[in-house]
Each structure stands twice: as structure tokens, then as C-alpha cells.
Amino acid sequence: MASSTGAQIIARSLRDIGITVIFGIVGIPVVEIAEEAINLGVKFIGFRNEQAAAYAASAYGYLTGRPGVCLVVGGPGVLHGIAGIGNANANAFPLLLLAGSSETHLLSRGAFQELDAISFLTPHTKLALRPPSLESIPDVIQNTYRTSWYGRAGTGFVDFPADLIKGIVENAGDIADAAPIPDAPKGGAEEAKLFKVAQLIKSAKAPLVVIGKGAAYARAEQVIRELVNRTHLPFLPTPMGKGVLADSHPANTASARSTALKEADVVLILGARLNWILHFGDAPKWSLSAQFIQVDISAEELGRNAGNADLGIIGDVGVVVSQLIQTLGTWFYSTASSPYIKHLSAAKSRNESTAASKALSSKLPMTYAYAFSVIERTLHRLSPPDNGGIVYVSEGANTMDISRSIFPVSHPRLRLDAGTYATMGVGLGYAIAAHAAYNSHAAEGQSGPARRKKVVALEGDSAFGFSAMEVETMARYGMDVLIFVMNNGGVYHGDSDNAEEWLKLQTTTQEGAGQGGLRSTSLGWEVGYEKLAEACGGAGYLVRTSQELEKATEAGFREKRVTVVNVIIEAGKGAQLEFGWQASGGGKKRSRL
């Protein structure tokens, strides 16, 4: 048989395990891997920064249910890529990171981009390996891919020295081919634990189901919908758990979140963790007497913070919920006379009324709420939420927090945000991942509503700056992503109400006067972000009014190229920094025996 290089064996192994897309940045020596993969029909999406590439690969893993693959150079490429590793691990996204490295015979001699990546990344990955030979490459790739995916998802890393990539096997037939890896086995709960949990749920006066992004990742939406519809249990989605049940579902308590948390006495947690997003389960956000039933694929999560390991269930969310439905039988929660439900309804009405009034504030410059309401109203007309035709990506503190309740979704895995790690800079990488997951040729066989989806990124101006050059990546690959940059001239808030005021602050700073100049949160005044899209071959719009915003939203939605809408909003000068996830007065931990 013909000979094969290491690069060819690597590319062939990736194809054989089912990889159709690789994200990354090439250089010596990994460019040969990317080229061989392209020759085999694998799409390579070349980024402008390894961080964004790694973010994209991890989000692709979440959206598709199988590890995304990122290819980087050694040394600095690995250092940049580690941001994606941390983000993937914190969010439990499956990621396979591949990197090149210097020749093995030059170890410790100061070789080109030399880094002992195995030692460096072993503490931060589920498995980090370097193939000892060309013949071992398929097996190493298979094992690392599987390990990153099975169990609680995370990162697998494979290091390929340059001499391995360039090495030659004279008879390629001597090397065993890699094979597709089947879905992970799914476990359920024991009967006694199910009975105990079911009895506790039945006894609850104020039950609550919390639905996390783990439930979306597990593709458990059908059984969770059946559970809620049969039992009438109120539910609360986490930000990326939205869509497992439609936001419009009457049992959704998202607009009464504080009331639901404060009054719930039995809480069934499906694919979420009792971390900062859920205030650790602590008072004053939660009742001190609340009992938490955690369903998680990872045993380490059970009993964490306010959780009770005696009530925790290890298993696949979909399998466990199916078992729980059978155990609960015909029981359902009686909502008609429940004071808890009345309190939730009152809080919903009050909060939704307040939100609606904020969205009507049509002053100029526009507020976040008003600008988002214009965008949502226009997108709703073009693609109603039930169609599932839009994927929302959101990042930036205010942008993410305020938009969360304004843009409804009716299907899972249609909303991506900064997630568990609150990582700024993920937005454009995530948008590219969503486009690849839903709109590439590899996605043509997928089922579900509105197979092709418009990707809409809602970006704070600070967050946009982390990965803005990926607009060129989108343009290069013909990705029709619609990006809104919410431009208030600052991190969290701007510091000026007009150009003259900002210029005075800038002058004071440049003259070294110290106090009275630009603050640590200051950004440029009305930066022309839309021009970046134009420079890359996309479309750009600068908008100040609702009429301009509506026209730009519709035009951008219909565009077949990347579009940036630069939305000038009020600076929020002097506004106090407040975030909904921060507990006032400090959390109270419940005692344990």
C-alpha cells in the first residue's frame, strides 16, 4: 500500500470518528493536518484568534452533542487556547483540543514555540496525551475524544510533535483505522431513590423544577415537557436552559424568579448546578427550609452547597425524568388553591408590567430595554419563536442580563451566553459555532423546527471588542450572522452624555491630570463598529432611532452576508452597578448534620 504521513493519519482518524468541522488557526507544523483534513472533505474554519476558535469548538460540542475540535499551534497557540479549555470545563462542554509542538529531539533546547503542553494541561483536562508513535495516533485520538465526551463533558487534549506530523509510515495498511464512537451509555436511578423523591415532590406545598443547560445538552426536552405538562409543576429555566420548555409556557416562573426561589420548599434540579447562577441554594435568595433534589450525571455535584446528597440522583437527565414520570403516576400538583401559585402569578403580573413600561421609554438616546424591544418585535414578525428559526447569542453584562427576558425562545439550544464562567469574548466564536452547527452541509440531515437558522448576536460594545476581528472570519466563510453592538461607550456604563464631555475627559487623561479624566470603564465615544463589517465585505448600519433600528434589523435579517448594526444607546452615566445574580446582605448557609 501507499505510504502515509503523520498529518494524513491524523486527518484520516478525525474523519473516521465522524468529525466534519475543525475550528482553529494554523501554523507550523499543524498546517499540514488542516490541509489533509480539507482534502478528505472536513471543513476547516480558520479564526483570527485561538481563544475564539476554542470557544467556538466548545459551543459546537454543546449544540451538536459531540465534542467540537480545535486545532492550534504549540506554545502561544496552546496558551491562547487554554481560555477555551477553562470555559469548556466550567460549562461541561465537550472539546477536543489538538496542538502541534516542537520536535521531540529538541526537548529542553529552546526549540521553536517549545512548551511541555502535556504537563501544563494535564491538571485542566480530562485526558492529555501525546502519541508515542505514528501507529498509535488513531487509538489516542479515539480515546481522548471519547473521554472528553463520556460522563461529565470537558476537554481532551492531544499533542502532536512536529516529527510525528511529518513522519512517514511506508505501509499505511499496517495502521488500524479509527472508528466512529457510539453515544455514551445512559444510566438511571434506583427504584428506592425514585420512590423517596416522588413522595417528597408529592408532599411539597411550593414545588419548583429548575431546568439547566445540562438538560438541553442531554436532549431531554421531550420527557421534561411531558413531566411538567402532566404534573403542572412550576419551572424555572436557567439562562441557557431556556427553550427546553417554551418561554411562553404558563408554568414558566422566569418573570417571577425571586418569588419562586424565596418560596419554593422542594426543588427538583435538572441539569443545573447550585453555583452562583442559582445563588448556591443559600438564603436570603432561597428559603432556609428548601430541599433540593439534584439530578446530575456527575456524582461530585450531589450534595454541593445547599444540595442534599441523600436526595441526589446520579444519571442521565432524560432517563431519570422518564423514570420519575412513571413513579409519580397520575399525580399532579393542584394549582387552583395554592397560595404559592397566587404569589407567583401576582409577581409575574407586576414584573411583566414593569418590564413593559421600560420597553416603552422612547427617549433618545435609546435605552437597552427600548432598543431590545424594537429588535425583538421586528424579529418576531420575521420569524416567530415557535418556528425556532433564530439562534440568540448574547454577551456583555447589561446586554446579557436585560435581553434575557425580552427575546423568547420555544426550543432548546437556541440561546447561548457567557455561561457558568461568565466569559466575555465568547460571542462571535459562539455565533460561528451556531452557524456551523445549524447551517452547514453536515447539518442537513438534522430534524426539528426550521432547520436553517438565522444567528443573531447581541453584543455589548466591551464584549464585542474581545473578538471583533472574527467578523472577518464570518465574511470569509459567507456566514450571514446578524450582530447588534449595544454602544454605550463603556464597560457596564459609559461616562459621558455627549462628545464634548467625553473629549474633555480624554484630554484630562492624556495630560496626566489624574482625577477627572476617563475612568477604568471608559471606551471610545460612538466608535464606528459597523465599519468593520463593511471593511470585511459585510453590511454595516449605524442607528440612533427606533425607526432606523427597525429598518436595519429587517435588512440585516434578510442579508446573506455578515451584518453589524451599531446601536447608539444611552451611556447610563453615573448609574450604579447592579446585577441580578448578586445576593444582597450575603448568603446564609444552611446547617447540616
Side-chain angles (χ1 to χ4, degrees):
M1 280 189 71
S3 62
S4 286
T5 65
Q8 290 172 329
I9 297 169
I10 294 165
R12 189 162 57 244
S13 298
L14 292 171
R15 180 203 61 186
D16 290 347
I17 63 174
I19 301 304
T20 59
V21 179
I22 298 173
F23 306 87
I25 297 181
V26 297
I28 297 172
V30 299
V31 62
E32 297 181 27
I33 299 173
E35 289 299 315
E36 294 295 347
I38 291 171
N39 293 340
L40 293 174
V42 177
K43 184 172 184 177
F44 181 82
I45 300 178
F47 280 69
R48 304 303 295 266
N49 184 286
E50 288 96 348
Q51 287 187 10
Y55 293 149
S58 63
Y60 186 84
Y62 167 73
L63 293 171
T64 62
R66 286 175 170 259
V69 178
C70 182
L71 177 66
V72 300
V73 299
V78 171
L79 294 178
H80 294 166
I82 197 172
I85 292 176
N87 190 67
N89 292 345
N91 286 285
F93 291 167
L95 169 66
L96 176 61
L97 181 67
L98 310 177
S101 59
S102 52
E103 293 88 341
T104 52
H105 69 277
L106 295 176
L107 180 66
S108 81
R109 298 190 65 188
F112 177 71
Q113 296 186 334
E114 183 178 347
L115 173 70
D116 183 2
I118 297 297
S119 297
F120 180 57
L121 293 181
T122 293
H124 307 288
T125 58
K126 294 183 71 178
L127 184 64
L129 296 176
R130 178 184 295 118
S133 65
L134 289 164
E135 291 77 12
S136 67
I137 287 173
D139 186 60
V140 167
I141 288 176
Q142 281 186 151
N143 283 336
T144 311
Y145 180 89
R146 176 183 51 78
T147 301
S148 71
W149 181 22
Y150 282 19
R152 177 176 170 176
T155 303
F157 173 70
V158 183
D159 177 69
F160 297 110
D163 45 332
L164 196 75
I165 294 172
K166 294 177 177 293
I168 297 176
V169 171
E170 294 300 335
N171 188 353
D174 293 340
I175 298 180
D177 292 333
I181 298 172
D183 290 345
K186 297 179 179 180
E190 63 233 7
E191 188 174 335
K193 179 62 69 70
L194 285 167
F195 179 78
K196 180 179 181 179
V197 165
Q199 293 303 112
L200 182 59
I201 293 172
K202 289 179 180 180
S203 69
K205 298 291 192 295
L208 181 67
V209 180
V210 174
I211 301 170
K213 66 176 177 291
Y217 173 72
R219 272 66 179 165
E221 55 266 23
Q222 294 302 324
V223 290
I224 293 177
R225 290 177 181 187
E226 181 181 356
L227 172 70
V228 170
N229 290 333
R230 287 178 59 163
T231 63
H232 307 164
L233 289 168
F235 72 90
L236 174 69
T238 64
M240 283 178 58
K242 285 162 62 74
V244 171
L245 285 105
D247 283 342
S248 59
H249 195 288
N252 187 0
T253 68
S255 58
R257 186 179 190 273
S258 296
T259 301
L261 268 56
K262 186 68 175 178
E263 297 193 17
D265 59 0
V266 174
V267 185
L268 175 64
I269 303 177
L270 303 176
R273 286 171 278 173
L274 285 172
N275 54 25
W276 66 273
I277 294 176
L278 291 174
H279 314 288
F280 315 102
D282 291 339
K285 293 292 186 177
W286 294 89
S287 167
L288 275 171
S289 61
Q291 298 187 74
F292 296 93
I293 304 165
Q294 298 166 282
V295 178
D296 203 285
I297 199 169
S298 173
E300 292 84 350
E301 282 300 321
L302 305 184
R304 189 180 184 192
N305 295 324
N308 183 344
D310 289 337
L311 297 176
I313 298 176
I314 306 169
D316 176 80
V317 170
V319 172
V320 172
V321 171
S322 294
Q323 293 178 300
L324 188 57
I325 289 171
Q326 296 301 315
T327 305
L328 288 170
T330 59
W331 175 87
F332 62 89
Y333 176 60
S334 178
T335 60
S337 59
S338 167
Y340 172 57
I341 295 298
K342 291 180 180 177
H343 295 166
L344 289 175
S345 297
K348 279 186 185 181
S349 178
R350 182 172 60 253
N351 294 338
E352 289 171 3
S353 177
T354 299
S357 65
K358 289 182 179 179
L360 293 175
S361 177
S362 57
K363 66 178 184 178
L364 293 177
M366 293 182 287
T367 65
Y368 278 102
Y370 183 63
F372 286 144
S373 70
V374 173
I375 297 169
E376 193 282 325
R377 185 172 65 246
T378 307
L379 293 177
H380 188 110
R381 172 169 53 82
L382 297 168
S383 180
D386 287 348
N387 291 350
I390 297 176
V391 183
Y392 290 103
V393 179
S394 180
E395 66 169 337
N398 291 316
T399 298
M400 189 168 58
D401 288 347
I402 297 170
S403 68
R404 183 180 301 127
S405 60
I406 294 177
F407 294 87
V409 292
S410 297
H411 303 279
R413 300 173 295 281
L414 296 184
R415 188 181 187 282
L416 299 168
D417 65 20
T420 306
Y421 224 27
T423 310
M424 293 297 106
V426 298
L428 300 197
Y430 279 13
I432 291 170
H435 194 280
Y438 291 120
N439 299 330
S440 70
H441 293 304
E444 287 180 354
Q446 71 182 1
S447 59
R451 185 196 62 79
R452 181 171 179 83
K453 303 183 190 301
K454 187 73 174 184
V455 180
V456 175
L458 305 167
E459 296 280 315
D461 50 357
S462 172
F464 180 69
F466 280 78
S467 57
M469 274 308 298
E470 303 308 335
V471 168
E472 189 277 327
T473 304
M474 297 173 182
R476 191 177 351 125
Y477 291 101
M479 298 180 176
D480 59 341
V481 178
L482 173 55
I483 303 166
F484 294 92
V485 180
M486 311 308 294
N487 190 345
N488 68 354
V491 181
Y492 306 121
H493 303 296
D495 55 11
S496 308
D497 291 325
N498 55 64
E500 292 74 20
E501 185 179 349
W502 187 87
L503 286 169
K504 289 180 181 178
L505 296 176
Q506 183 189 43
T507 300
T508 300
T509 298
Q510 292 178 351
E511 291 177 349
Q515 293 184 353
L518 296 172
R519 309 309 302 169
S520 63
T521 56
S522 300
L523 296 176
W525 176 259
E526 295 192 357
V527 176
Y529 298 112
E530 78 284 356
K531 295 177 182 177
L532 178 58
E534 295 171 351
C536 297
Y541 299 88
L542 173 65
V543 303
R544 299 178 185 277
T545 69
S546 61
Q547 294 83 3
E548 292 172 342
L549 180 54
E550 183 175 354
K551 289 179 181 178
T553 300
E554 180 162 357
F557 184 85
R558 299 187 187 282
E559 274 283 0
K560 301 304 180 184
R561 53 184 177 160
V562 62
T563 300
V564 173
V565 181
N566 188 4
V567 187
I568 303 300
I569 60 172
E570 67 175 356
K573 174 185 172 183
Q576 184 178 354
L577 300 181
E578 293 181 0
F579 305 102
W581 47 265
Q582 290 179 320
S584 59
K588 296 179 181 178
K589 295 181 179 180
R590 61 199 71 221
S591 60
R592 293 187 186 165
L593 298 178

